[in-house]
Amino acid sequence: MSSETCKDFDRAMVFLGDYGRFQIQIMVLLSLTAIPCGYMGVLAVFVADTPAHRCRTWLNSTLRDPHGVDSFHGTGPDSCYRYKVDTNRSEPGEPSNGTDRCVDGWLFSTERYTIVSEWELVCENAWKVPFSTSMFFVGVLFGSLVGGQLSDRFGRKRVLFFSIALQSVTTLIQATSVNWVMFCALNCLRGVGHVSTYISSLVLGSEMLCESARITYSLLGQCLAFSIGYALLPLFAYFIRGWRLLLVACAIPGLLFIPTWRVIPESPRWLLQRGRVKEADMVMRQAAKMNRIQASEIMFSPGEGSELLQKPSEDKQMYTFMDLISTANLRNITGLGVFIWLTIIMVFYGLSLNTSNLKGNIYLNCLISAATDTVANVSTWLLINRVPRPALLFFTLMFSGITLLVVKIVPGDMNTTFQVLVLVGKLGVSVAYSFTFVFFTELYPTVVRNTGLGILSTAGCIGTIVCPYVIYIGIYSKILPYIIFGSVSIIAAILSLLLPDTRNCKIPDLISETKPIQCYCTPKKCPCLQPSKQQAAKSDATAPSVDI
């Protein structure tokens, strides 16, 4: 296959077809890695849930309700205070006037055993609950920052399997936590493995598939598997009421995936970009063999890797974060992507983690929330090739934002209407969440794709670190978290209209192939439509000379 007939990697892969045995195997195996990611990010819903609790008093031995929690008789008006008891009275148990702090600790409902009930993280220590959740997302932040860079340097496959092992082993060790500090430290480390697993798996599969298969893999593979993992969490938690055993059960599926190392190949795009042409040739030949297709005698010539993925002006072997701001197009896409990802991921995880605060059964609420994500993924798959990418992102975010703001006018006694609006609002942001991974994977070129997605994921992690505290505001104002989530969703929807449409376009490989953002102004006054100095010089050099 000569460089004249093969000008980019997408054309080089055409002979493999779209949905051969090789592509299906890649989609299935890599999608399975997203199942643990689906529940790892929202484990706090059950592991850090606050059960019903009452002050511990000297009456505990005689006054208990069927759930093992003190009767209101002899305790205070809320879970942080108790009535003062006059021990000099002839009839014990009669409260005197005034209240007192829970100096003897608390008794918790035995319906669920969480870190809150084990380490009494209530009242003065209640801040430790959202803090422990934020520590997980601090780990996600760090993993996003370094995971993409490591993946671009050492390979998608190596980082993927290292991240899977890190996530699973850390979760097992976390189940043995002896105190809250140890739990938070391991929560942070678990977050590093969580995000690196998801992004590396998404990029690895996307780079080995053509456009139609890539969209199917991202939405019906990765995102749907993520939703399935999310739906498994309430099922696990329903039968496993102790948080330690729940962590062990959640760690095992990841460990079962490690033996697939021999089956999943490295990304041939990345191998070519690194100049490892023989290894890329071997991957393509194995794919052709699995699809029962006769490969040409020479898949890639020794110098074709650079011709496919690298031009003389882009001859450096290492790309860094600075390359994301090296051109106006990449700067614009990265700047818009940072705010859009921060908003989408903050709202998505904020509404997901808040399911425990909705009225009704916590297990059913979580299952419905997961089912909402499944509907969102299927809807995105049906719409993604029928609607321009920026328009789809705009309408889903605008729909979510308006719905969450409407919650403000719902009367306080209409709990069912309130829950329906929240879940419908989550449907909109769930579509945006699953779609944005596909969209920005297509926007970034191969040489900085993982680094770019890592930066955007890092921005999203800032939102997830903040969202537990936004939810915590709900203690004082039930509506305020939804006003915040709805407002930022509308702003992100408006900004998304500036992004270029990648529908029916080949995935870019070089920085110079990055698309410009859309400008709603006249061409003469729009800076993003003006040619760069390099492009202008190239045009002058290639322009035909005219003799006078």
Side-chain angles (χ1 to χ4, degrees), residues 269-312:
R269 282 182 184 268
W270 179 83
L271 291 171
L272 286 173
Q273 191 269 327
R274 301 294 292 174
R276 294 157 64 173
V277 179
K278 290 184 179 180
E279 295 176 58
D281 184 274
M282 186 179 299
V283 171
M284 296 293 285
R285 289 187 180 280
Q286 290 175 347
K289 183 178 181 180
M290 288 187 64
N291 288 354
R292 298 178 181 177
I293 296 174
Q294 183 65 37
S296 59
E297 185 176 347
I298 300 177
M299 293 290 297
F300 302 113
S301 61
E304 193 168 2
S306 60
E307 294 174 2
L308 286 171
L309 293 176
Q310 192 172 310
K311 292 181 179 179

Side-chain angles (χ1 to χ4, degrees), residues 86-211:
D86 188 356
T87 56
N88 295 324
R89 295 188 179 185
S90 57
E91 295 182 6
E94 282 295 322
S96 62
N97 293 330
T99 58
D100 196 5
R101 303 295 295 179
C102 298
V103 294
D104 298 320
W106 293 263
L107 284 180
F108 293 84
S109 169
T110 57
E111 183 181 359
R112 287 186 300 277
Y113 187 57
T114 70
I115 63 170
V116 177
S117 56
E118 177 161 345
W119 296 314
E120 297 188 343
L121 305 181
V122 293
C123 300
E124 295 90 346
N125 292 321
W127 63 271
K128 294 183 178 181
V129 179
F131 183 85
S132 65
T133 304
S134 291
M135 285 303 296
F136 171 81
F137 292 111
V138 168
V140 174
L141 172 65
F142 181 76
S144 301
L145 196 61
V146 302
Q149 190 77 358
L150 292 175
S151 183
D152 284 337
R153 181 173 182 178
F154 297 107
R156 289 34 169 153
K157 178 179 175 180
R158 290 182 180 178
V159 174
L160 170 63
F161 280 87
F162 174 79
S163 301
I164 292 172
L166 177 64
Q167 179 178 235
S168 301
V169 173
T170 301
T171 305
L172 285 176
I173 300 175
Q174 191 178 26
T176 65
S177 298
V178 296
N179 53 46
W180 174 77
V181 175
M182 179 180 176
F183 178 87
C184 288
L186 291 170
N187 225 21
C188 182
L189 197 58
R190 182 165 61 87
V192 175
H194 169 78
V195 67
S196 297
T197 298
Y198 190 81
I199 292 182
S200 298
S201 176
L202 177 67
V203 173
L204 177 59
S206 297
E207 291 184 347
M208 287 192 288
L209 301 170
C210 64
E211 182 184 4

Side-chain angles (χ1 to χ4, degrees), residues 148-448:
Q149 190 77 358
L150 292 175
S151 183
D152 284 337
R153 181 173 182 178
F154 297 107
R156 289 34 169 153
K157 178 179 175 180
R158 290 182 180 178
V159 174
L160 170 63
F161 280 87
F162 174 79
S163 301
I164 292 172
L166 177 64
Q167 179 178 235
S168 301
V169 173
T170 301
T171 305
L172 285 176
I173 300 175
Q174 191 178 26
T176 65
S177 298
V178 296
N179 53 46
W180 174 77
V181 175
M182 179 180 176
F183 178 87
C184 288
L186 291 170
N187 225 21
C188 182
L189 197 58
R190 182 165 61 87
V192 175
H194 169 78
V195 67
S196 297
T197 298
Y198 190 81
I199 292 182
S200 298
S201 176
L202 177 67
V203 173
L204 177 59
S206 297
E207 291 184 347
M208 287 192 288
L209 301 170
C210 64
E211 182 184 4
S212 61
R214 183 167 63 244
I215 292 174
T216 302
Y217 163 69
S218 299
L219 296 177
L220 294 188
Q222 286 281 101
C223 292
L224 194 58
F226 189 93
S227 300
I228 292 173
Y230 186 10
L232 288 176
L233 178 60
L235 299 179
F236 286 168
Y238 182 80
F239 294 103
I240 306 174
R241 299 300 177 97
W243 68 271
R244 295 183 186 273
L245 287 178
L246 181 59
L247 287 177
V248 172
C250 290
I252 293 175
L255 295 175
L256 296 177
F257 188 80
I258 300 296
T260 61
W261 168 273
R262 292 181 173 273
V263 182
I264 296 177
E266 181 56 270
S267 166
R269 282 182 184 268
W270 179 83
L271 291 171
L272 286 173
Q273 191 269 327
R274 301 294 292 174
R276 294 157 64 173
V277 179
K278 290 184 179 180
E279 295 176 58
D281 184 274
M282 186 179 299
V283 171
M284 296 293 285
R285 289 187 180 280
Q286 290 175 347
K289 183 178 181 180
M290 288 187 64
N291 288 354
R292 298 178 181 177
I293 296 174
Q294 183 65 37
S296 59
E297 185 176 347
I298 300 177
M299 293 290 297
F300 302 113
S301 61
E304 193 168 2
S306 60
E307 294 174 2
L308 286 171
L309 293 176
Q310 192 172 310
K311 292 181 179 179
S313 60
E314 299 180 24
D315 57 355
K316 52 185 175 181
Q317 293 295 315
M318 285 298 302
Y319 292 85
T320 66
F321 298 113
M322 297 304 296
D323 290 290
L324 298 177
I325 59 174
S326 62
T327 65
N329 293 341
L330 271 178
R331 280 197 301 271
N332 292 332
I333 288 174
T334 301
L336 292 171
V338 163
F339 183 81
I340 292 171
W341 274 55
L342 188 151
T343 298
I344 291 175
I345 297 181
M346 179 182 73
V347 176
F348 176 81
Y349 276 103
L351 296 178
S352 298
L353 293 172
N354 199 44
T355 52
S356 59
N357 294 329
L358 296 176
K359 300 293 184 180
N361 188 287
I362 184 176
Y363 304 100
L364 183 59
N365 288 340
C366 189
L367 189 61
I368 293 175
S369 181
T372 300
D373 291 350
T374 303
V375 173
N377 294 328
V378 176
S379 301
T380 306
W381 179 69
L382 293 174
L383 293 172
I384 194 167
N385 283 329
R386 294 175 172 83
V387 181
R389 305 282 201 259
L392 180 58
L393 194 56
F394 169 79
F395 285 117
T396 54
L397 286 174
M398 186 63 71
F399 174 78
S400 177
I402 293 175
T403 305
L404 293 176
L405 289 180
V406 170
V407 169
K408 181 180 179 181
I409 63 177
V410 176
D413 57 342
M414 299 180 64
N415 290 325
T416 302
T417 304
F418 185 88
Q419 287 178 279
V420 170
L421 284 175
V422 172
L423 291 173
V424 169
K426 186 176 183 293
L427 175 63
V429 78
S430 296
V431 173
Y433 180 80
S434 59
F435 165 71
T436 194
F437 284 94
V438 180
F439 192 13
F440 281 90
T441 297
E442 296 174 342
L443 285 173
Y444 278 109
T446 300
V447 292
V448 291

